[in-house]
């Protein structure tokens, strides 16, 4: 019989596996599926969001490495959109942290 901690870990692994299975088939929806499933099993929203975004850093990194290795990167386009993308992401995150949640 599984103890509580082992059952929790297996549940988190199952959530990640299912979300990645759909993401691999469709190319999107990892964050939506995994966050929804984590919230449905009682994980607090901030912890679910933080966990999903941490995992997405690694899955996106592996995906990026694969695209680079297979020559699927348009480096000129990347150079044109990288700085505006970073500035938009950072400013959006900053603005969201400054909003009053009440």
């Amino acid at each position: 019989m599984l103890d509580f901690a082992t059952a929790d870990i297996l549940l988190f692994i199952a959530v990640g596996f299912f979300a990645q299975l759909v993401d691999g088939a469709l190319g999107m929806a990892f964050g939506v599926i995994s966050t929804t499933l984590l919230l449905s099993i009682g994980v607090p929203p901030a912890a679910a969001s933080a966990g999903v975004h941490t995992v997405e850093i690694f899955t996106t990194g592996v995906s990026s490495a694969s695209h680079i290795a297979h020559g699927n990167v348009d480096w000129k386009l990347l150079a044109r959109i990288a700085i505006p993308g970073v500035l938009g992401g950072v400013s959006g995150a900053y603005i969201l942290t400054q909003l009053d949640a009440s």
Side-chain angles (χ1 to χ4, degrees), residues 36-48:
T36 302
L37 291 175
L38 289 172
L39 292 174
S40 71
I41 62 173
V43 175

Side-chain angles (χ1 to χ4, degrees), residues 49-94:
S49 178
V52 169
H53 284 94
T54 301
V55 170
E56 283 182 329
I57 290 170
F58 295 103
T59 59
T60 302
V62 170
S63 177
S64 299
S66 175
H67 282 291
I68 291 168
H70 288 92
N72 296 332
V73 178
D74 182 347
W75 293 103
K76 287 183 181 181
L77 178 61
L78 177 67
R80 287 188 4 227
I81 65 173
I83 293 173
V86 169
L87 292 175
V90 169
S91 61
Y94 176 75

